[in-house]
Amino acid sequence: MTPSADPSEEIALARAMAAMAPAGVRTGCRMIRDGDEAHLLPAEASSIPARQAAMRRASGAARWIAHRLLANAGFDGFALLRTPSGAPAWPEGMTGSLAHDDDMAVAAVATVAGIGSLGIDVEPALPLPDDIFSLVAIPADRMGAADRHLAGRILFAAKEAVYKAAYPLDREVLGYEDIAVDLETGHATTSTGRKVSLAYCIVPRVVVLGFVGE
């Protein structure tokens, strides 16, 4: 955790995420702290190839959240192993997603009886650099009434979340150009025809949740 990190941001983001999430989706967040790599269960630690301390701390923080969300759903002590695609392997009957930026980790879980697939992404609430925006945006994207300073950042996070939600269903590798986002209607469509619903918050961080109904 950086010296300037404020735990009040963790509380505010947890509330904003809970308010945006659809019924049946459990969410959580955690400021990444020194030593969070210790929250990786032994099998999880072995399944994660990254050796950089920062990456292992972030993975530990994200799984710390997920362990608690899963315990509330009846899966106490479940090890979220990393799959070859990089996504975690969720318990049978559950879907979920993890994400982190440099300072914050987030997670979301749901039963597949209500939500077919989930994707989540977190980003700092800062404008997206122009060079990255030019790589992410396509003419079919619609920003709607999104905050004009943060619209690019929301768009970037939305496409990341959509990819995470769509890949387990379609097993198709998608680029930013393969995902059209409409922030006004809260939906996205992939080049494979997959429809993904979107929800997002921007204070104190940009978090986008992509989800496919069962």
Side-chain angles (χ1 to χ4, degrees), residues 37-129:
E37 62 273 16
H39 295 302
L40 293 169
L41 299 177
E44 293 172 339
S46 298
S47 76
I48 296 171
R51 290 291 171 259
Q52 300 95 327
M55 290 298 295
R56 296 186 76 81
R57 279 197 298 270
S59 294
R63 280 168 170 78
W64 182 92
I65 306 161
H67 292 158
R68 280 148 184 77
L69 297 176
L70 288 174
N72 290 338
F75 295 93
D76 195 12
F78 186 87
L80 284 169
L81 306 185
R82 186 184 187 274
T83 66
S85 72
W90 297 91
E92 185 175 357
M94 299 294 293
T95 182
S97 186
L98 310 176
H100 65 83
D101 60 16
D102 290 342
D103 301 310
M104 183 74 77
V106 297
V109 303
T111 62
V112 295
I115 299 289
S117 188
L118 280 175
I120 198 169
D121 193 49
V122 59
E123 294 285 329
L126 298 169
L128 192 70

Side-chain angles (χ1 to χ4, degrees):
M1 184 171 64
T2 60
S4 61
D6 183 355
S8 65
E9 184 175 350
E10 187 178 77
I11 296 169
L13 185 59
R15 290 173 177 165
M17 290 171 63
M20 77 168 182
V25 176
R26 297 177 170 91
T27 61
C29 64
R30 176 178 174 83
M31 297 295 296
I32 300 169
R33 295 163 168 82
D34 290 339
D36 270 353
E37 62 273 16
H39 295 302
L40 293 169
L41 299 177
E44 293 172 339
S46 298
S47 76
I48 296 171
R51 290 291 171 259
Q52 300 95 327
M55 290 298 295
R56 296 186 76 81
R57 279 197 298 270
S59 294
R63 280 168 170 78
W64 182 92
I65 306 161
H67 292 158
R68 280 148 184 77
L69 297 176
L70 288 174
N72 290 338
F75 295 93
D76 195 12
F78 186 87
L80 284 169
L81 306 185
R82 186 184 187 274
T83 66
S85 72
W90 297 91
E92 185 175 357
M94 299 294 293
T95 182
S97 186
L98 310 176
H100 65 83
D101 60 16
D102 290 342
D103 301 310
M104 183 74 77
V106 297
V109 303
T111 62
V112 295
I115 299 289
S117 188
L118 280 175
I120 198 169
D121 193 49
V122 59
E123 294 285 329
L126 298 169
L128 192 70
D130 290 342
D131 58 336
I132 299 178
F133 180 79
S134 66
L135 296 175
V136 172
I138 60 174
D141 293 326
R142 297 290 181 266
M143 305 299 189
D147 183 298
R148 67 184 185 90
H149 296 293
L150 295 179
R153 186 73 67 168
I154 299 166
L155 180 66
F156 175 84
K159 295 200 178 191
E160 294 285 336
V162 168
Y163 179 78
K164 291 180 180 181
Y167 183 80
L169 302 175
D170 302 327
R171 298 294 173 180
E172 291 283 344
V173 176
L174 303 173
Y176 297 119
E177 70 278 6
D178 297 316
I179 302 170
V181 169
D182 188 332
L183 294 177
E184 187 165 15
T185 64
H187 291 89
T189 305
T190 72
S191 57
T192 64
R194 176 68 60 185
K195 306 291 186 182
V196 181
S197 298
L198 298 169
Y200 71 88
C201 60
I202 61 173
V203 178
R205 253 174 167 77
V206 173
V207 175
V208 181
L209 186 68
F211 53 100
V212 178
E214 182 61 17

